[in-house]
Coordinates of all heavy atoms in Angstrom, one line a residue:
Chain E
G295 N -106.9 21.6 -142.9 CA -105.9 22.7 -142.6 C -105.2 22.5 -141.3 O -105.1 21.4 -140.8
E296 N -104.6 23.6 -140.9 CA -103.8 23.6 -139.7 C -104.6 23.3 -138.4 O -104.0 23.0 -137.4 CB -103.1 25.0 -139.5 CG -101.9 25.1 -140.3 CD -101.2 26.4 -140.1 OE1 -101.7 27.3 -139.3 OE2 -100.1 26.6 -140.6
C297 N -105.9 23.4 -138.5 CA -106.7 23.2 -137.3 C -106.9 21.7 -137.0 O -107.5 21.3 -136.0 CB -108.1 23.9 -137.3 SG -109.1 23.4 -138.7
V298 N -106.5 20.8 -137.9 CA -106.9 19.4 -137.7 C -105.7 18.6 -137.2 O -104.5 19.0 -137.3 CB -107.3 18.7 -139.0 CG1 -108.5 19.5 -139.7 CG2 -106.2 18.4 -140.0
E299 N -106.1 17.5 -136.6 CA -105.1 16.5 -136.2 C -105.5 15.2 -136.9 O -106.6 14.7 -136.8 CB -105.2 16.3 -134.7 CG -104.3 15.2 -134.1 CD -104.6 15.0 -132.6 OE1 -104.8 15.9 -131.9 OE2 -104.6 13.8 -132.2
H300 N -104.5 14.7 -137.7 CA -104.7 13.5 -138.5 C -103.7 12.5 -138.2 O -102.5 12.7 -138.2 CB -104.6 13.9 -140.0 CG -104.7 12.7 -140.9 ND1 -103.6 12.1 -141.5 CD2 -105.7 11.9 -141.4 CE1 -103.9 11.1 -142.2 NE2 -105.2 10.9 -142.1
R301 N -104.2 11.3 -137.8 CA -103.3 10.2 -137.3 C -102.3 10.8 -136.3 O -101.1 10.5 -136.4 CB -102.6 9.6 -138.5 CG -103.5 8.9 -139.5 CD -102.8 8.1 -140.4 NE -103.6 7.5 -141.5 CZ -103.2 6.8 -142.5 NH1 -101.9 6.5 -142.6 NH2 -104.0 6.3 -143.4
G302 N -102.7 11.6 -135.4 CA -101.9 12.1 -134.4 C -101.0 13.3 -134.8 O -100.3 13.9 -133.9
A303 N -101.0 13.7 -136.1 CA -100.1 14.8 -136.5 C -100.8 16.1 -136.8 O -101.9 16.0 -137.4 CB -99.3 14.3 -137.7
C304 N -100.3 17.2 -136.4 CA -100.8 18.5 -136.8 C -99.7 19.1 -137.8 O -98.5 18.9 -137.5 CB -100.9 19.4 -135.6 SG -102.2 18.8 -134.5
Y305 N -100.1 19.9 -138.7 CA -99.1 20.4 -139.7 C -99.1 22.0 -139.6 O -100.2 22.6 -139.3 CB -99.4 19.9 -141.1 CG -99.3 18.4 -141.2 CD1 -100.4 17.6 -141.1 CD2 -98.0 17.9 -141.5 CE1 -100.3 16.2 -141.2 CE2 -97.9 16.5 -141.6 CZ -99.0 15.7 -141.5 OH -98.9 14.3 -141.6
G306 N -98.0 22.6 -140.0 CA -97.9 24.0 -140.0 C -97.4 24.5 -141.3 O -96.9 25.6 -141.4
L307 N -97.5 23.7 -142.3 CA -97.0 24.1 -143.7 C -98.1 23.8 -144.7 O -99.0 23.0 -144.4 CB -95.7 23.3 -144.0 CG -94.5 23.6 -143.2 CD1 -93.4 22.6 -143.5 CD2 -94.0 25.0 -143.5
V308 N -98.0 24.5 -145.8 CA -99.2 24.3 -146.7 C -99.2 23.0 -147.5 O -100.2 22.5 -147.8 CB -99.3 25.5 -147.7 CG1 -99.6 26.8 -147.0 CG2 -98.0 25.6 -148.6
A309 N -98.0 22.4 -147.8 CA -98.0 21.2 -148.7 C -99.0 20.1 -148.2 O -99.8 19.6 -148.9 CB -96.6 20.7 -148.8
P310 N -98.9 19.8 -146.9 CA -99.9 18.8 -146.4 C -101.3 19.2 -146.6 O -102.2 18.4 -146.8 CB -99.6 18.7 -144.9 CG -98.2 19.3 -144.7 CD -98.1 20.3 -145.8
L311 N -101.6 20.6 -146.4 CA -103.0 21.0 -146.5 C -103.5 20.7 -147.9 O -104.7 20.4 -148.1 CB -103.1 22.5 -146.2 CG -102.3 23.0 -145.0 CD1 -102.8 24.5 -144.8 CD2 -102.6 22.2 -143.8
W312 N -102.7 20.9 -148.9 CA -103.1 20.7 -150.3 C -103.6 19.2 -150.5 O -104.6 18.9 -151.1 CB -102.0 21.0 -151.3 CG -101.5 22.4 -151.4 CD1 -100.3 22.8 -151.9 CD2 -102.2 23.6 -150.9 NE1 -100.2 24.1 -151.8 CE2 -101.3 24.7 -151.2 CE3 -103.4 23.9 -150.3 CZ2 -101.6 26.0 -150.9 CZ3 -103.7 25.2 -149.9 CH2 -102.8 26.2 -150.2
E313 N -102.8 18.3 -149.9 CA -103.1 16.9 -150.0 C -104.4 16.6 -149.2 O -105.2 15.8 -149.6 CB -102.0 16.0 -149.4 CG -100.7 16.1 -150.2 CD -99.6 15.3 -149.6 OE1 -99.8 14.2 -149.2 OE2 -98.4 15.8 -149.6
M314 N -104.6 17.3 -148.1 CA -105.8 17.1 -147.3 C -107.0 17.5 -148.2 O -108.1 16.9 -148.2 CB -105.8 17.9 -146.0 CG -104.9 17.5 -145.0 SD -105.1 18.6 -143.6 CE -103.6 18.2 -142.7
C315 N -106.9 18.7 -148.8 CA -108.0 19.3 -149.6 C -108.4 18.3 -150.8 O -109.6 18.2 -151.1 CB -107.6 20.6 -150.1 SG -107.5 21.9 -148.8
R316 N -107.4 17.7 -151.3 CA -107.7 16.8 -152.4 C -108.5 15.6 -151.9 O -109.6 15.3 -152.4 CB -106.3 16.2 -153.0 CG -106.5 15.1 -154.0 CD -105.2 14.4 -154.3 NE -104.4 14.0 -153.1 CZ -104.7 13.0 -152.3 NH1 -105.8 12.3 -152.5 NH2 -104.0 12.8 -151.2
A317 N -108.1 15.0 -150.8 CA -108.8 13.9 -150.2 C -110.2 14.3 -149.8 O -111.2 13.6 -150.0 CB -108.1 13.3 -149.0
L318 N -110.3 15.5 -149.2 CA -111.6 16.0 -148.8 C -112.6 16.1 -150.0 O -113.7 15.7 -149.9 CB -111.4 17.3 -148.1 CG -112.7 18.1 -147.7 CD1 -112.8 18.3 -146.3 CD2 -112.9 19.3 -148.5
A319 N -112.1 16.7 -151.0 CA -113.0 16.9 -152.2 C -113.4 15.6 -152.9 O -114.5 15.4 -153.2 CB -112.3 17.8 -153.2
D320 N -112.4 14.7 -152.9 CA -112.7 13.4 -153.4 C -113.8 12.7 -152.6 O -114.8 12.1 -153.1 CB -111.5 12.4 -153.4 CG -110.5 12.8 -154.5 OD1 -110.9 13.5 -155.5 OD2 -109.3 12.3 -154.4
G321 N -113.7 12.9 -151.3 CA -114.7 12.3 -150.4 C -116.1 12.9 -150.6 O -117.1 12.2 -150.4
L322 N -116.1 14.2 -150.8 CA -117.4 14.9 -150.9 C -118.0 14.7 -152.3 O -119.2 15.0 -152.5 CB -117.2 16.4 -150.7 CG -117.2 16.9 -149.2 CD1 -117.0 18.4 -149.2 CD2 -118.5 16.5 -148.5
T323 N -117.3 14.4 -153.3 CA -117.8 14.3 -154.7 C -117.6 13.0 -155.4 O -118.3 12.0 -155.2 CB -117.2 15.4 -155.5 OG1 -115.8 15.3 -155.5 CG2 -117.5 16.8 -155.0
T324 N -116.5 12.9 -156.1 CA -116.4 11.8 -157.1 C -116.1 10.4 -156.4 O -116.6 9.4 -156.9 CB -115.2 12.0 -158.0 OG1 -114.1 12.5 -157.2 CG2 -115.6 13.1 -159.0
G325 N -115.5 10.4 -155.3 CA -115.3 9.1 -154.7 C -114.1 9.2 -153.7 O -113.1 9.8 -154.1
P326 N -114.2 8.6 -152.5 CA -113.2 8.8 -151.5 C -111.8 8.2 -152.0 O -111.8 7.1 -152.5 CB -113.7 8.0 -150.3 CG -115.1 7.6 -150.7 CD -115.3 7.7 -152.1
S327 N -110.8 9.0 -151.8 CA -109.4 8.5 -152.1 C -108.6 8.3 -150.8 O -107.9 7.4 -150.7 CB -108.7 9.5 -153.1 OG -108.7 10.8 -152.5
G328 N -108.8 9.2 -149.9 CA -108.1 9.1 -148.6 C -106.8 9.8 -148.6 O -106.0 9.9 -149.6
Y329 N -106.5 10.3 -147.4 CA -105.2 11.1 -147.1 C -104.4 10.2 -146.1 O -105.0 9.7 -145.2 CB -105.6 12.4 -146.5 CG -104.4 13.2 -146.0 CD1 -103.4 13.7 -146.8 CD2 -104.3 13.5 -144.6 CE1 -102.3 14.4 -146.2 CE2 -103.3 14.2 -144.0 CZ -102.3 14.6 -144.9 OH -101.2 15.3 -144.3
E330 N -103.2 10.1 -146.3 CA -102.4 9.2 -145.5 C -101.3 9.8 -144.6 O -100.4 9.2 -144.1 CB -101.8 8.1 -146.3 CG -102.9 7.3 -147.1 CD -102.3 6.1 -147.8 OE1 -101.2 6.1 -148.1 OE2 -103.1 5.1 -147.9
G331 N -101.4 11.1 -144.5 CA -100.4 11.9 -143.8 C -99.3 12.3 -144.7 O -99.2 11.8 -145.8
S332 N -98.5 13.3 -144.3 CA -97.5 13.9 -145.1 C -96.1 13.8 -144.5 O -96.0 13.8 -143.3 CB -97.8 15.3 -145.4 OG -99.1 15.5 -146.0
V333 N -95.2 13.7 -145.4 CA -93.8 13.9 -145.0 C -93.5 15.4 -145.4 O -93.8 15.7 -146.5 CB -92.8 13.0 -145.7 CG1 -91.5 12.9 -145.0 CG2 -93.4 11.6 -145.9
T334 N -93.0 16.2 -144.5 CA -92.9 17.6 -144.9 C -91.4 18.0 -145.0 O -90.5 17.3 -144.5 CB -93.5 18.5 -143.8 OG1 -92.9 18.2 -142.5 CG2 -95.0 18.3 -143.7
S335 N -91.2 19.0 -145.8 CA -89.9 19.6 -145.9 C -90.0 21.1 -145.6 O -91.1 21.6 -145.8 CB -89.3 19.3 -147.3 OG -90.0 20.0 -148.2
T336 N -89.0 21.7 -145.3 CA -89.0 23.2 -145.0 C -88.0 23.8 -145.9 O -86.8 23.4 -146.0 CB -88.6 23.5 -143.6 OG1 -89.3 22.7 -142.7 CG2 -88.8 25.0 -143.3
K337 N -88.4 24.9 -146.6 CA -87.5 25.6 -147.4 C -87.6 27.1 -147.0 O -88.7 27.6 -146.9 CB -87.8 25.5 -148.9 CG -86.6 25.4 -149.7 CD -86.9 25.1 -151.2 CE -85.6 24.8 -151.9 NZ -85.9 24.3 -153.2
L338 N -86.6 27.7 -146.6 CA -86.6 29.1 -146.1 C -85.7 29.9 -146.9 O -84.6 29.5 -147.2 CB -86.3 29.1 -144.6 CG -86.1 30.5 -144.0 CD1 -87.4 31.2 -143.8 CD2 -85.4 30.4 -142.7
K339 N -86.1 31.1 -147.3 CA -85.1 31.9 -148.0 C -85.3 33.3 -147.4 O -86.3 33.9 -147.4 CB -85.5 32.0 -149.5 CG -84.4 32.6 -150.3 CD -84.8 32.6 -151.8 CE -83.7 33.3 -152.6 NZ -82.6 32.4 -153.0
V340 N -84.2 33.7 -146.6 CA -84.2 35.0 -146.0 C -83.0 35.8 -146.6 O -81.9 35.3 -146.4 CB -84.1 34.9 -144.5 CG1 -84.0 36.3 -143.9 CG2 -85.2 34.1 -143.9
A341 N -83.3 36.9 -147.2 CA -82.2 37.7 -147.7 C -81.2 36.9 -148.5 O -80.0 37.0 -148.2 CB -81.6 38.5 -146.6
G342 N -81.6 36.0 -149.3 CA -80.7 35.2 -150.1 C -80.0 34.1 -149.4 O -79.1 33.5 -149.9
L343 N -80.5 33.8 -148.2 CA -79.9 32.7 -147.4 C -80.8 31.5 -147.6 O -82.0 31.6 -147.3 CB -79.9 33.0 -145.9 CG -79.1 34.2 -145.5 CD1 -79.3 34.5 -144.1 CD2 -77.7 34.0 -145.9
D344 N -80.3 30.5 -148.2 CA -81.1 29.3 -148.5 C -80.9 28.2 -147.5 O -79.8 27.8 -147.1 CB -80.8 28.8 -149.9 CG -81.3 29.7 -150.9 OD1 -82.5 30.0 -151.0 OD2 -80.5 30.2 -151.7
V345 N -82.1 27.7 -146.9 CA -82.0 26.7 -146.0 C -83.1 25.6 -146.4 O -84.2 26.0 -146.8 CB -82.4 27.2 -144.6 CG1 -82.5 26.1 -143.6 CG2 -81.4 28.3 -144.1
F346 N -82.7 24.4 -146.2 CA -83.7 23.3 -146.6 C -83.6 22.2 -145.5 O -82.5 21.9 -145.1 CB -83.3 22.8 -147.9 CG -84.2 21.6 -148.3 CD1 -85.4 21.8 -149.0 CD2 -83.8 20.3 -147.9 CE1 -86.2 20.7 -149.3 CE2 -84.7 19.2 -148.2 CZ -85.9 19.4 -148.9
S347 N -84.7 21.7 -145.1 CA -84.6 20.5 -144.2 C -85.8 19.6 -144.5 O -86.9 20.1 -144.8 CB -84.5 20.9 -142.8 OG -85.7 20.9 -142.1
A348 N -85.6 18.4 -144.4 CA -86.7 17.4 -144.6 C -86.5 16.2 -143.8 O -85.3 15.8 -143.5 CB -86.8 17.0 -146.1
G349 N -87.6 15.5 -143.5 CA -87.5 14.3 -142.7 C -87.1 14.5 -141.3 O -86.9 15.6 -140.8
D350 N -87.0 13.4 -140.6 CA -86.5 13.6 -139.2 C -85.2 12.9 -139.1 O -84.9 11.9 -139.9 CB -87.5 13.1 -138.2 CG -87.5 11.6 -138.1 OD1 -87.8 10.9 -139.1 OD2 -87.3 11.0 -137.0
F351 N -84.3 13.3 -138.3 CA -83.0 12.8 -138.2 C -82.8 11.7 -137.1 O -81.7 11.3 -136.9 CB -82.0 13.9 -138.0 CG -82.2 15.1 -138.9 CD1 -82.6 16.3 -138.3 CD2 -82.2 15.0 -140.3 CE1 -82.8 17.4 -139.1 CE2 -82.5 16.0 -141.1 CZ -82.8 17.3 -140.5
S352 N -83.9 11.4 -136.5 CA -83.8 10.3 -135.5 C -83.7 9.0 -136.1 O -84.5 8.1 -135.8 CB -85.0 10.4 -134.5 OG -86.1 10.8 -135.2
G353 N -82.7 8.8 -137.0 CA -82.5 7.6 -137.7 C -82.1 6.5 -136.7 O -82.6 5.4 -136.7
G354 N -81.2 6.9 -135.8 CA -80.8 5.9 -134.7 C -80.1 4.7 -135.4 O -79.2 4.9 -136.2
D355 N -80.6 3.6 -134.9 CA -79.9 2.3 -135.3 C -79.7 2.2 -136.8 O -80.6 2.3 -137.6 CB -80.9 1.2 -134.9 CG -80.2 -0.1 -135.0 OD1 -78.9 -0.1 -134.9 OD2 -80.9 -1.1 -135.1
G356 N -78.4 2.0 -137.2 CA -78.1 1.8 -138.6 C -78.2 3.0 -139.5 O -77.9 3.0 -140.7
A357 N -78.5 4.2 -138.9 CA -78.6 5.4 -139.7 C -77.2 6.0 -139.8 O -76.4 5.9 -138.8 CB -79.5 6.4 -139.1
E358 N -76.9 6.5 -140.9 CA -75.5 7.1 -141.1 C -75.6 8.5 -141.6 O -76.4 8.7 -142.5 CB -74.8 6.1 -142.0 CG -73.3 6.3 -141.9 CD -72.6 5.5 -143.0 OE1 -73.0 4.3 -143.2 OE2 -71.6 6.0 -143.6
D359 N -74.8 9.3 -141.1 CA -74.8 10.7 -141.6 C -73.7 10.8 -142.7 O -72.6 10.4 -142.5 CB -74.3 11.7 -140.4 CG -75.5 11.8 -139.4 OD1 -76.6 12.1 -139.9 OD2 -75.2 11.7 -138.2
I360 N -74.1 11.5 -143.8 CA -73.0 11.8 -144.7 C -73.0 13.4 -144.7 O -74.0 14.0 -144.9 CB -73.4 11.3 -146.1 CG1 -73.8 9.8 -146.1 CG2 -72.2 11.5 -147.1 CD1 -74.2 9.2 -147.4
V361 N -71.8 13.9 -144.5 CA -71.7 15.4 -144.3 C -70.8 16.0 -145.3 O -69.7 15.4 -145.6 CB -71.3 15.7 -142.9 CG1 -71.0 17.2 -142.7 CG2 -72.3 15.3 -141.9
L362 N -71.1 17.1 -145.9 CA -70.3 17.8 -146.9 C -70.3 19.2 -146.5 O -71.3 19.8 -146.3 CB -70.8 17.6 -148.3 CG -70.0 18.3 -149.4 CD1 -68.6 17.6 -149.6 CD2 -70.8 18.4 -150.7
R363 N -69.1 19.8 -146.2 CA -69.0 21.2 -145.9 C -68.1 21.9 -146.8 O -67.0 21.4 -147.1 CB -68.4 21.3 -144.4 CG -69.2 20.6 -143.4 CD -68.7 20.9 -142.0 NE -69.2 20.0 -141.0 CZ -69.8 20.4 -139.9 NH1 -70.0 21.7 -139.7 NH2 -70.2 19.6 -139.0
D364 N -68.6 23.0 -147.3 CA -67.7 23.8 -148.2 C -67.5 25.1 -147.5 O -68.3 26.0 -147.5 CB -68.5 24.1 -149.5 CG -67.7 24.9 -150.5 OD1 -66.7 25.6 -150.0 OD2 -67.9 24.9 -151.7
A365 N -66.3 25.1 -146.8 CA -66.1 26.2 -145.9 C -65.9 27.5 -146.7 O -66.3 28.6 -146.2 CB -64.8 25.9 -145.1
A366 N -65.3 27.5 -147.8 CA -65.0 28.7 -148.6 C -66.3 29.4 -148.9 O -66.4 30.6 -148.8 CB -64.2 28.3 -149.9
R367 N -67.3 28.6 -149.3 CA -68.6 29.3 -149.6 C -69.6 29.3 -148.5 O -70.7 29.7 -148.6 CB -69.2 28.6 -150.9 CG -68.4 28.9 -152.1 CD -69.1 28.4 -153.4 NE -69.1 27.0 -153.4 CZ -70.0 26.3 -154.1 NH1 -70.8 26.9 -154.9 NH2 -70.0 25.0 -154.1
G368 N -69.2 28.7 -147.4 CA -70.1 28.6 -146.2 C -71.3 27.7 -146.5 O -72.4 28.0 -146.0
H369 N -71.1 26.6 -147.2 CA -72.2 25.7 -147.4 C -72.1 24.5 -146.5 O -71.0 24.1 -146.1 CB -72.2 25.2 -148.9 CG -72.6 26.3 -149.8 ND1 -72.6 26.1 -151.2 CD2 -72.9 27.6 -149.6 CE1 -73.0 27.2 -151.8 NE2 -73.2 28.1 -150.8
Y370 N -73.2 23.9 -146.2 CA -73.3 22.7 -145.4 C -74.3 21.8 -145.9 O -75.4 22.3 -146.3 CB -73.6 23.2 -143.9 CG -73.9 22.0 -143.0 CD1 -72.9 21.3 -142.4 CD2 -75.2 21.7 -142.6 CE1 -73.1 20.2 -141.5 CE2 -75.5 20.7 -141.7 CZ -74.5 20.0 -141.1 OH -74.7 19.0 -140.2
R371 N -74.1 20.5 -145.8 CA -75.0 19.6 -146.4 C -74.9 18.3 -145.6 O -73.8 17.8 -145.3 CB -74.6 19.3 -147.8 CG -75.5 18.4 -148.6 CD -75.0 18.3 -150.0 NE -75.5 19.5 -150.7 CZ -75.7 19.5 -152.0 NH1 -75.6 18.4 -152.7 NH2 -76.1 20.6 -152.7
R372 N -76.1 17.8 -145.1 CA -76.1 16.6 -144.3 C -77.2 15.7 -144.8 O -78.4 16.2 -144.8 CB -76.2 16.9 -142.9 CG -76.5 15.7 -142.0 CD -76.7 16.1 -140.5 NE -77.0 15.0 -139.7 CZ -77.7 15.1 -138.5 NH1 -78.0 16.3 -138.1 NH2 -78.0 14.1 -137.8
V373 N -76.9 14.5 -145.2 CA -77.9 13.6 -145.6 C -77.9 12.4 -144.7 O -76.8 11.8 -144.4 CB -77.7 13.1 -147.1 CG1 -78.8 12.1 -147.5 CG2 -77.8 14.3 -148.0
V374 N -79.1 12.0 -144.2 CA -79.1 10.8 -143.3 C -79.6 9.6 -144.1 O -80.7 9.7 -144.7 CB -80.0 11.1 -142.1 CG1 -79.9 10.0 -141.0 CG2 -79.7 12.4 -141.4
V375 N -78.8 8.6 -144.0 CA -79.2 7.4 -144.8 C -79.4 6.2 -143.9 O -78.6 6.0 -142.9 CB -78.0 7.1 -145.8 CG1 -78.3 5.8 -146.5 CG2 -77.9 8.2 -146.8
K376 N -80.4 5.4 -144.2 CA -80.6 4.3 -143.3 C -81.1 3.1 -144.3 O -82.0 3.3 -145.1 CB -81.7 4.6 -142.3 CG -82.0 3.5 -141.3 CD -83.0 4.0 -140.3 CE -83.4 2.9 -139.4 NZ -84.3 3.3 -138.4
E377 N -80.5 2.0 -144.1 CA -80.8 0.8 -144.9 C -80.9 1.2 -146.4 O -81.9 0.9 -147.1 CB -82.1 0.2 -144.4 CG -81.8 -0.6 -143.2 CD -83.1 -0.9 -142.4 OE1 -84.2 -0.5 -142.9 OE2 -83.0 -1.4 -141.2
D378 N -79.9 2.0 -146.9 CA -79.9 2.4 -148.3 C -81.0 3.3 -148.7 O -81.3 3.4 -149.9 CB -79.8 1.1 -149.2 CG -78.5 0.4 -149.1 OD1 -77.5 1.1 -148.8 OD2 -78.4 -0.8 -149.2

Side-chain angles (χ1 to χ4, degrees):
Chain E
E296 280 183 352
C297 59
V298 309
E299 176 183 321
H300 172 261
R301 299 192 186 177
C304 294
Y305 296 94
L307 292 169
V308 294
L311 314 189
W312 300 160
E313 294 176 44
M314 290 180 196
C315 289
R316 175 195 45 75
L318 172 122
D320 284 344
L322 274 182
T323 57
T324 45
S327 57
Y329 168 68
E330 301 189 331
S332 302
V333 197
T334 56
S335 65
T336 307
K337 218 172 188 169
L338 170 75
K339 193 177 177 83
V340 176
L343 304 173
D344 288 302
V345 175
F346 175 90
S347 97
D350 75 303
F351 314 117
S352 36
D355 193 25
E358 200 186 318
D359 287 309
I360 312 179
V361 174
L362 177 72
R363 303 185 191 236
D364 181 340
R367 289 189 295 161
H369 291 179
Y370 170 78
R371 180 176 283 210
R372 171 181 174 202
V373 177
V374 189
V375 173
K376 188 174 170 181
E377 285 159 6
D378 292 327

